[in-house]
Amino acid sequence: AEIDWRSAIDSLRPHSHRLWQSFSPDQKQLFLRYGRPWWDIHRHRIAPDVAARIEHLVRDGRLEVVAGRLIDVRQADDAVEATIRRRGRDQPDPPHRFGYVFNCTGPLHDLARTRDPLLRQMLDDGLAAPDELGIGLAVDERARANGSERLWALGALTKGRYWEMIAVPDIREQAAAVAHDIATEVGR
């Protein structure tokens, strides 16, 4: 009640890695299932001018914000046809047609399904492995992938170990530590 909720959320940043690592695998799974949507909304806010524009589009009836699951997406002539099941409903809506579709959900939350050629090849060859949650690569405390002596991961690929690893300040710090680790390795 004494500080703004944004400041409260932001104040967790220096502690988020330690907090995340203190959770058991079951607690992490529960957070991903129930807490992540709330965390993402409150931790990764849009800029106020963008929020105002969205509110204006909603008021004008030019934008509808829908909570639900995307069931199917397919190309349909010069449009994209999407089938959505709204939250709280058993049956999906009839397909809607859109000019464009943007995936704003952030990094893939199931690394095993990646279509990125480099990641796919590394996973298939056993050079890298998904973390225990499947949201990134398994890395050690130095961000080395799969116990490798020559393969490091940075940023969102290390979310399973660090959770809050998608913002520039966090990645900058992680990159410096990895660079130091590589320099030490090369200097041997």
Side-chain angles (χ1 to χ4, degrees), residues 12 14-24 27-28:
L12 291 174
H15 311 287
S16 62
H17 296 170
R18 186 175 39 79
L19 288 169
W20 179 252
Q21 290 172 359
S22 74
F23 290 170
S24 71
Q27 289 171 318
K28 289 176 182 177

Side-chain angles (χ1 to χ4, degrees), residues 1 8-9 17 29 33 40 52-53 58 66 68 78 81 99-100 103 107-108 112 118 131 138 148-149 154 164-165 177:
I9 294 290
H17 296 170
Q29 286 289 359
R33 176 75 177 112
D40 287 348
R53 179 75 175 133
V58 170
V66 176
D78 62 343
E81 198 170 83
Y100 299 93
N103 179 353
L108 185 65
L118 177 60
D131 61 51
S148 171
E149 290 297 314
L154 292 171
E164 204 41 38
M165 192 51 80

Side-chain angles (χ1 to χ4, degrees), residues 21 36 43 64 80 92 186:
Q21 290 172 359
R36 180 176 55 199
R43 178 70 183 97
E64 179 184 10
V80 177
V186 170

Side-chain angles (χ1 to χ4, degrees), residues 85-165:
R85 187 181 71 233
R86 293 175 189 250
R87 184 180 295 149
R89 295 189 185 169
D90 293 330
Q91 297 298 317
D93 290 352
H96 297 278
R97 292 175 65 87
F98 301 96
Y100 299 93
V101 173
F102 300 93
N103 179 353
C104 300
T105 60
L108 185 65
H109 297 298
D110 183 0
L111 192 67
R113 293 178 28 211
T114 186
R115 288 188 235 150
D116 178 275
L118 177 60
L119 278 175
R120 181 78 270 142
Q121 187 69 47
M122 289 185 343
L123 292 168
D124 291 346
D125 290 350
L127 297 174
D131 61 51
E132 67 184 356
L133 302 168
I135 61 175
L137 292 178
V139 296
D140 66 15
E141 66 281 353
R142 297 185 320 193
R144 290 181 182 219
N146 212 25
S148 171
E149 290 297 314
R150 301 193 184 276
L151 179 63
W152 290 263
L154 292 171
L157 283 174
T158 64
K159 278 185 75 163
R161 181 171 187 90
Y162 299 108
W163 181 248
E164 204 41 38
M165 192 51 80

Side-chain angles (χ1 to χ4, degrees), residues 19-80:
L19 288 169
W20 179 252
Q21 290 172 359
S22 74
F23 290 170
S24 71
D26 288 343
Q27 289 171 318
K28 289 176 182 177
Q29 286 289 359
L30 283 171
F31 177 83
L32 291 176
R33 176 75 177 112
Y34 300 106
R36 180 176 55 199
W38 295 103
W39 178 259
D40 287 348
I41 289 167
H42 293 88
R43 178 70 183 97
H44 307 290
R45 303 173 301 274
I46 61 174
D49 57 330
V50 175
R53 179 75 175 133
I54 289 172
E55 288 174 22
H56 183 265
L57 291 169
V58 170
R59 266 194 321 271
D60 287 353
R62 295 179 54 208
L63 176 66
E64 179 184 10
V65 178
V66 176
R69 292 203 179 271
L70 190 59
I71 304 300
D72 185 49
V73 178
R74 66 182 69 189
Q75 184 70 40
D77 301 320
D78 62 343
V80 177

